[in-house]
Amino acid sequence: QVQLVQSGGGSVQAGGSLKLSCQASGRLWEPYCLTWFRQIPGSWKERERVASFYTGGDTPYYSDDVKGRFTISLDNAKNTLILEMSNLKPEDSAMYYCAYRTGSFGYCYSPDYVHTWGQGTQVTVSA
């Protein structure tokens, strides 16, 4: 059974940088995607996909909101998914979750298809 343990995050001023990590344990069945979602606590909106890393493809996915500012990567040796966030904006403030899903890339889009969630970590960006 896959487990995801997150670390990183915190508070920063606008324009600053933060790094999130998500260490996976257990057997990850390829192909799979590891995705960062975010959600504003108390919001009625579903979790928003921020970035995905898919083992069956070449190019990571980024939402338009974060493209050019966030970088997703996978440290295979440590089985750790990383999200490096720079030039942060107050609207990036949210709870961030890493997620695992095995199968086709189409399953990476929606939080409804996620097999395993990390515990979440808060990112707060002040103006």
Side-chain angles (χ1 to χ4, degrees), residues 20-71:
L20 304 181
S21 297
C22 172
Q23 184 164 27
S25 60
R27 174 72 183 270
L28 276 66
W29 296 91
E30 294 205 23
Y32 61 84
C33 55
L34 289 171
T35 301
W36 289 101
F37 289 91
R38 66 185 181 187
Q39 186 175 35
I40 296 173
S43 170
W44 60 271
K45 293 182 180 179
E46 71 171 15
R47 294 177 182 180
E48 170 196 7
R49 186 168 73 134
V50 173
S52 286
F53 186 96
Y54 181 60
T55 59
D58 296 326
T59 306
Y61 163 87
Y62 297 97
S63 71
D64 289 341
D65 289 344
V66 308
K67 200 172 293 182
R69 301 188 297 120
F70 289 13
T71 302

Side-chain angles (χ1 to χ4, degrees), residues 64 74 77 100 102 106 126:
D64 289 341
L74 180 63
Y100 161 77
T102 189
S126 57

Side-chain angles (χ1 to χ4, degrees), residues 14 17 22 46-47 52 55 61 66 69 75 77 79-80 83 85 91 95 97 113 124:
S17 300
C22 172
E46 71 171 15
R47 294 177 182 180
S52 286
T55 59
Y61 163 87
V66 308
R69 301 188 297 120
D75 183 339
N79 243 18
T80 299
L83 186 68
M85 306 180 290
E91 51 264 42
M95 187 72 78
Y97 299 89
Y113 299 133
T124 302

